[in-house]
Amino acid sequence: MDTLEARVSYEFFKQLLLLLLLMAPLPPSSSEFTVVMPDSSALVDAPQTGFSDSARTDPAEQRAVYEIMEATGNGWATSIPDVCRGRWHGIECMPDTNDVYHVVSLSFGALSDDTAFPTCDPARSSLSPALLALPHLRSLFFYRCFTGSPQPVPAFLGRLGPTLRSLVLRENANTGPIPAELGNLTSLRVLDLHGNHLSSSVPPSLQLLRNLQLLDLSHNQLYGPVPELNLPSLTVMDLSRNLLHGRIPTSFGRWDSLVKMDLSRNRFSGSIPDSLCDLQNLVLLDLSHNRLAGPLPRSLGGLRSLTALILTGNPMSSAMIPKDAFAGLAALNTLILSNMGLQGSIPESIGELGSLRVLHLDGNKLNGSIPKSFQKLQKLTELRVNDNQLMGPIPIGREMLWKMGKKLRLYNNSGLCYDMSYGRYEGIESMSGISYCETESKDAASARSHTTKHYLSSTSRDGGHGRPSSLSSSGAARKLHLAQEELVDLIAPLLVSLLVFL
């Protein structure tokens, strides 16, 4: 995982963890994917620290659990006389007011060595219709259970009843369509079908899931346009890595609770809907690697909570970046606009994004100079403007260069260079792909009367691959002398400090 993906993943899971904590008033579930919610049934919604001597599991539910466990290759469960009293990691039960225990959660699959629900026999596991005999079921979780025997998502899951809050079928190699019957689960908060081989359109029946808070259909083979949906409670939506096409529905901009929207790596076309800019709580917006056309919405600044905006790989070849497109994005720390064919100059307003840490503008047709306002980006740790048509001195001081190191990429431009007035920085040509500016101040020139010719410019590279050519022998001598001067600059303050304390 590269730096950007790690940072985006961290921000997303931080928000998701907060969401789950707010959603679950019961004791924490044993799975990050499983959310168990209270309902208005006769169950006693309180932590159970012990069992009544007379309480027993509902007999019909006990038989159903035996069948479900047998269908997943866990026949050992039949040796347990009472599945709620002798419960295992992966089954949760709650009593009713008559001291009868009911199954409310079933989970299968080893998430890690520390979190292992009953594993499935991949060669013969299946989802048993006996699930329908669990009328109080709130959470159903299967992880990597059917990989050896791929099968469709059964339509009978749509009859699990009004108590179900969380349905997770994750990385199970499920095939075929998303059953339209899932729209009957009107109390559902979490629907996670990530990482399967589902191949259908997104069913319009999902419109009925008005209480849904997390929808993850990513990493499948879904195709076709996405229907207009009205999911007012949705907080996380991930449709990434599918074959979805058509325009992004404008209804997505009406989900005021949305924190994350990831539509990356599909085939969406048209322009970015202005309605998306009304999502005041949105933290991450990833529309990368689609076929979206320009121009960029001028109202992007309305996304006040946005921390990551990723649009890379969309062919906006005739678009320019509006001067005020990002004004107001005070929380933004990641802005990725790579390989979009953007033209014109870099707006000064980007330099006003004081929280910015990662900025990628590489692989476009941007010209002019890097704005002087970039001097204000004191938190910047990664900057890519390579493969453009930029020229002139970079407005970045020596300390910032040192902090970014090889995460600063400037090569393959018309004539970017480093201004020595910011202080000498040996090795910049190999680190970022540019050399010193040709014109230096008179003071700098007189201070280095030994100076030989400057390093090669950024447009003269070995083989045209963005790497500077090797230095001449006189250049090597200059390099050694500058290194000696750097050493003196480093040691002198230490000696002064020592004398003060003595």
Side-chain angles (χ1 to χ4, degrees):
M1 182 178 290
D2 61 25
T3 303
L4 171 61
E5 290 179 341
R7 186 177 293 105
V8 171
S9 296
Y10 167 76
E11 291 294 337
F12 164 54
F13 282 110
K14 182 174 69 175
Q15 295 295 331
L16 182 56
L17 177 60
L18 176 61
L19 166 67
L20 295 182
L21 289 174
L22 292 174
M23 287 170 59
L26 293 178
S29 170
S30 54
S31 166
E32 69 175 284
F33 303 108
T34 305
V35 180
V36 179
M37 299 293 293
D39 57 26
S40 57
S41 69
L43 296 185
V44 178
D45 288 309
Q48 302 302 306
T49 57
F51 294 91
S52 166
D53 290 337
S54 59
R56 292 291 184 272
T57 301
D58 179 279
E61 294 185 39
Q62 170 118 341
R63 290 192 296 272
V65 170
Y66 287 159
E67 291 184 37
I68 295 165
M69 295 294 284
E70 179 67 31
T72 59
N74 292 286
W76 52 263
T78 57
S79 65
I80 299 176
D82 191 298
V83 296
C84 286
R85 292 177 61 86
R87 60 184 181 176
W88 55 87
H89 191 48
I91 183 172
E92 298 291 337
C93 304
M94 298 192 77
D96 62 18
T97 54
N98 296 317
D99 257 358
V100 175
Y101 285 92
H102 301 282
V103 178
V104 297
S105 177
L106 285 174
S107 300
F108 297 86
L111 293 174
S112 68
D113 292 339
D114 299 324
T115 308
F117 302 127
T119 56
C120 304
D121 182 344
R124 63 182 188 89
S125 292
S126 64
L127 279 167
S128 171
L131 287 164
L132 299 177
L134 302 177
H136 301 276
L137 193 64
R138 300 175 180 178
S139 175
L140 185 61
F141 178 94
F142 284 85
Y143 177 64
R144 295 184 178 178
C145 275
F146 317 120
T147 54
S149 55
Q151 54 200 267
V153 176
F156 70 73
L157 292 179
R159 302 184 355 240
L160 283 177
T163 64
L164 194 68
R165 301 296 190 266
S166 179
L167 175 60
V168 178
L169 304 176
R170 193 174 178 90
E171 297 184 28
N172 289 296
N174 287 116
T175 59
I178 298 175
E181 289 82 356
L182 296 186
N184 297 328
L185 303 174
T186 54
S187 296
L188 209 60
R189 268 63 165 173
V190 174
L191 176 58
D192 186 343
L193 305 178
H194 164 90
N196 290 293
H197 303 301
L198 301 174
S199 55
S200 70
S201 58
V202 177
S205 62
L206 297 187
Q207 167 78 22
L208 302 174
L209 304 180
R210 309 260 310 165
N211 295 302
L212 200 64
Q213 296 177 1
L214 186 150
L215 175 64
D216 190 343
L217 306 179
S218 61
H219 289 249
N220 280 287
Q221 299 167 18
L222 302 175
Y223 57 83
V226 177
E228 294 281 348
L229 301 173
N230 185 17
L231 304 175
S233 300
L234 200 66
T235 302
V236 174
M237 180 180 66
D238 193 343
L239 305 181
S240 63
R241 294 181 181 272
N242 280 289
L243 304 173
L244 299 169
H245 62 78
R247 291 182 173 271
I248 298 174
T250 57
S251 61
F252 287 9
R254 295 196 291 268
W255 304 340
D256 295 336
S257 300
L258 205 61
V259 173
K260 173 190 174 180
M261 180 189 294
D262 190 347
L263 306 179
S264 63
R265 298 187 182 278
N266 279 285
R267 299 174 181 178
F268 289 109
S269 57
S271 58
I272 299 173
D274 288 333
S275 63
L276 299 190
C277 302
D278 296 329
L279 299 173
Q280 295 291 313
N281 295 305
L282 196 65
V283 172
L284 184 146
L285 176 60
D286 191 346
L287 305 178
S288 62
H289 299 288
N290 279 286
R291 300 172 181 177
L292 299 171
L296 292 173
R298 292 185 175 274
S299 53
L300 281 171
L303 301 171
R304 304 294 181 181
S305 300
L306 198 66
T307 63
L309 175 60
I310 308 171
L311 302 177
T312 186
N314 286 291
M316 298 185 180
S317 56
S318 61
M320 299 176 65
I321 305 177
K323 292 183 178 181
D324 56 350
F326 310 110
L329 299 180
L332 196 68
N333 62 47
T334 300
L335 177 60
I336 310 296
L337 305 177
S338 304
N339 301 307
M340 298 172 63
L342 297 171
Q343 299 181 5
S345 58
I346 301 174
E348 288 272 353
S349 60
I350 292 182
E352 304 298 328
L353 303 176
S355 299
L356 205 60
R357 296 179 182 274
V358 177
L359 175 60
H360 293 183
L361 301 173
D362 52 298
N364 288 294
K365 300 176 182 178
L366 299 172
N367 55 32
S369 60
I370 298 177
K372 292 184 178 180
S373 61
F374 276 36
Q375 294 175 354
K376 302 177 184 179
L377 301 177
Q378 295 299 310
K379 295 183 179 180
L380 201 63
T381 60
E382 187 171 328
L383 173 62
R384 298 182 186 178
V385 295
N386 54 283
D387 297 292
N388 278 287
Q389 300 166 15
L390 300 169
M391 59 189 306
I394 59 172
I396 300 173
R398 183 168 59 178
E399 292 77 12
M400 186 69 72
L401 291 175
W402 177 85
K403 181 170 68 173
M404 286 191 282
K406 292 188 177 180
K407 294 181 180 178
L408 174 65
R409 300 184 184 180
L410 306 171
Y411 52 82
N412 288 346
N413 278 286
S414 299
L416 287 178
C417 59
Y418 176 64
D419 189 345
M420 286 288 291
S421 65
Y422 288 109
R424 293 184 300 276
Y425 193 81
E426 189 65 23
I428 188 172
E429 74 287 344
S430 61
M431 181 172 294
S432 59
I434 65 170
S435 68
Y436 299 107
C437 296
E438 290 293 333
T439 303
E440 299 183 17
S441 67
K442 293 182 179 179
D443 291 340
S446 61
R448 292 192 307 281
S449 59
H450 59 275
T451 300
T452 60
K453 64 180 181 180
H454 296 299
Y455 293 171
L456 296 176
S457 67
S458 59
T459 56
S460 176
R461 294 185 176 85
D462 189 15
H465 297 291
R467 298 182 180 274
S469 302
S470 59
L471 298 175
S472 64
S473 58
S474 59
R478 178 175 177 270
K479 182 175 180 180
L480 175 60
H481 189 85
L482 288 177
Q484 292 170 340
E485 288 186 351
E486 292 283 356
L487 184 59
V488 171
D489 290 342
L490 177 64
I491 294 176
L494 298 177
L495 293 176
V496 172
S497 300
L498 181 59
L499 290 174
V500 171
F501 283 104
L502 289 177

